[in-house]
DNA sequence: CCAAAAGTGTTCTCCATACACCCATGC
DNA sequence: GCATGGGTGTATGGAGAACACTTTTGG
């Protein structure tokens, strides 16, 4: 391939679809745009890739700068490069999706005071650019991936009840699951561990709290164990 | 996000991992580099994204220009953006993978007479840049995807025997499959159709030829049918 | 004592797996 | 007639799905 430092280059950005769980709804984090194009509309957090940072680093930096989020689950989603996706010129964006548990990672206002807020994934406001399409692809990926990789735990606090976990799957997969079958299945996988704790301050029998044991999971994967949950 | 047309931008390329089936081996298409860096080494076909073409279009153009391949199965794989992946400067590449059946899509020499050739995926030569890593990720994606999406057919001629199909799966998954179970399963899925033809010029009983019926497959998918093969 | 969610077993059906022999064809 | 792959059926075990009641706790 010829090498052409003098040729025009597309601009390169990253955009992040941040999923969070709020009560029983799956939410996405959006930032309000303050300037044109699409001033006043909501958009995915994101921005330009610097010359000396990797794509992953750029995505993490944007999450930190725009929402105060650090050390969250983050994975590359897809790269969107339609010629006309930005009215100002050629901009290619590498989209990521992130999973955060909203309890242990509360939002911090963006440094430049732009609004950041959670919106229902199933009924988001009108979005800037092609961000509705990016959100759609991210949601589809999450639904597809949650059944065969233990990423759902990223949306929950460190300790959670089996009912919380079941509700999470019911929300993401958009269907009801059988309580007994769900518990038997998820416990049989062997990477959840009971903690000594139970729920507090609930006006009914307190449920046992469980924890995802990443080390156990890794060991199972290394042994060739492929799990499928639901 | 601020908009900065005057800031330095990474260069943007596409690279294609082209898989083909040759006898019973899975092969990858490589191009010999003629200039530095990595002159003389083999590399994935690829090149710069033009300002007025989408990423998919750039990948298809490179396949056409560098190998004479048209109308093949092509899907985006992952975007590689490590800061030091190209010794000449910052270059981000959007990797694609393609599946071609080498019978109906013979290679054509690249327009600029650079060598193009097929190499075993399991024992490729030393590759330029981070292309070994890209190949690894593509191979992993192919292995993972072939069991739950009917993409394997792209590697076969339009009409194929069930034994050819089984060999393909055995090659990609790197394990032996039971003939009776494989045939029962794949036929039960309902998107293969018998043709009136059989094999020719074989010194044993001629096998029936089948064809993948994409329309049938689409109808099944729309009905919510999720297939899993093996 | 009442409301609310936690927790728990069994049955049935279906699908994946394991397995071996006869058939058609070319040479 | 022999070598080569083509083509076929059955039995078994395990996992997913359906299904309802008792227990614990707070108010």
């Amino acid at each position: 391939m010829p090498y052409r430092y003098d040729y025009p280059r597309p601009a390169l950005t990253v955009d992040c679809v941040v999923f969070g769980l709020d009560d029983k709804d799956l939410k996405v984090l959006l930032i309000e745009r303050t300037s044109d194009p699409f001033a006043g509309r909501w958009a995915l957090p994101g921005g330009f890739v610097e010359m000396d940072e990797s794509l992953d680093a750029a995505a993490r930096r944007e999450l930190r700068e725009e929402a105060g989020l650090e050390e969250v689950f983050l994975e590359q989603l897809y790269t969107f490069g339609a010629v006309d996706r930005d009215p100002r010129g050629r901009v290619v964006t590498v989209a990521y999706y992130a999973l955060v548990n909203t309890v242990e990672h509360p939002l911090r206002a963006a440094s430049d005071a732009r609004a950041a807020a959670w919106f229902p994934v199933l009924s988001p406001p009108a979005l800037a650019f092609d961000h509705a399409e990016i959100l759609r692809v991210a949601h589809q990926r999450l639904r597809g991936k949650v059944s065969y990789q233990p990423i759902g735990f990223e949306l929950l606090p460190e300790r959670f009840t089996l009912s919380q976990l079941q509700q999470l799957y019911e929300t993401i997969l958009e269907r009801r699951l059988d309580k007994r079958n769900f518990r038997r299945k998820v416990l049989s996988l062997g990477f959840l561990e009971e903690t000594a704790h139970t729920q507090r301050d609930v006006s009914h029998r307190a449920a046992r709290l469980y924890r995802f044991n990443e080390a156990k999971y890794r060991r199972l994967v290394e042994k060739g164990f492929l799990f499928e949950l639901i």
Side-chain angles (χ1 to χ4, degrees), chain A:
Chain A
M1 68 182 170
Y3 209 72
R4 311 170 304 176
Y5 269 110
D6 47 343
Y7 274 55
R9 301 169 175 191
L12 189 65
T13 59
V14 291
D15 285 304
C16 299
V17 180
V18 183
F19 291 108
L21 209 61
D22 160 37
D23 255 332
K24 303 187 181 180
D25 281 341
L26 188 63
K27 305 271 180 142
V28 60
L29 175 67
L30 299 175
I31 310 273
E32 191 172 19
R33 288 184 57 82
T34 52
S35 50
D36 270 325
F38 300 106
R41 277 226 200 164
W42 294 88
L44 299 171
F48 287 86
V49 175
E50 303 286 344
M51 291 300 273
D52 59 352
E53 71 183 354
S54 69
L55 301 171
D56 289 20
R60 288 195 186 278
R61 177 179 50 74
E62 292 294 342
L63 286 182
R64 191 172 54 245
E65 290 177 4
E66 301 210 313
L69 292 173
E70 309 217 36
E71 302 198 16
V72 298
F73 172 91
L74 183 73
E75 203 170 89
Q76 199 188 103
L77 173 66
Y78 194 81
T79 298
F80 295 82
V83 173
D84 60 353
R85 57 175 296 282
D86 189 314
R88 297 161 300 186
R90 185 72 196 277
V91 182
V92 170
T93 195
V94 183
Y96 281 76
Y97 71 104
L99 305 179
V100 309
N101 88 68
T102 48
V103 182
E104 290 165 8
H105 292 96
L107 288 192
R108 203 191 51 205
S111 40
D112 53 359
R114 278 179 294 153
W118 294 102
F119 291 86
V121 167
L122 293 174
S123 55
L127 298 183
F129 307 105
D130 56 354
H131 288 188
E133 166 72 359
I134 298 177
L135 173 59
R136 196 188 59 73
V137 173
H139 188 202
Q140 190 180 312
R141 172 80 62 96
L142 177 62
R143 250 183 279 133
K145 198 148 191 170
V146 84
S147 290
Y148 64 93
Q149 286 198 13
I151 57 175
F153 305 100
E154 306 288 342
L155 291 163
L156 293 177
E158 195 206 338
R159 291 171 192 177
F160 50 84
T161 69
L162 294 184
S163 290
Q164 281 180 295
L165 188 62
Q166 180 176 345
Q167 268 173 27
L168 180 153
Y169 275 88
E170 291 181 341
T171 299
I172 295 179
L173 299 175
E174 292 172 74
R175 66 193 179 92
R176 301 299 316 265
L177 301 172
D178 179 86
K179 181 163 63 161
R180 279 171 291 190
N181 293 336
F182 179 83
R183 291 169 164 256
R184 181 175 33 247
K185 181 68 205 253
V186 78
L187 289 176
S188 77
L189 295 173
F191 49 68
L192 284 195
E193 63 181 25
E194 278 191 2
T195 70
H197 304 78
T198 54
Q199 273 182 320
R200 301 195 147 244
D201 303 320
V202 286
S203 73
H204 53 77
R205 176 172 173 179
R208 159 144 281 130
L209 294 172
Y210 289 80
R211 182 194 291 143
F212 173 58
N213 186 324
E214 176 128 16
K216 274 190 190 167
Y217 172 68
R218 288 243 181 82
R219 247 174 283 138
L220 288 169
V221 168
E222 275 164 24
K223 282 189 199 155
F225 171 78
L226 273 182
F227 91 83
E228 210 170 323
L229 182 54
I230 305 148

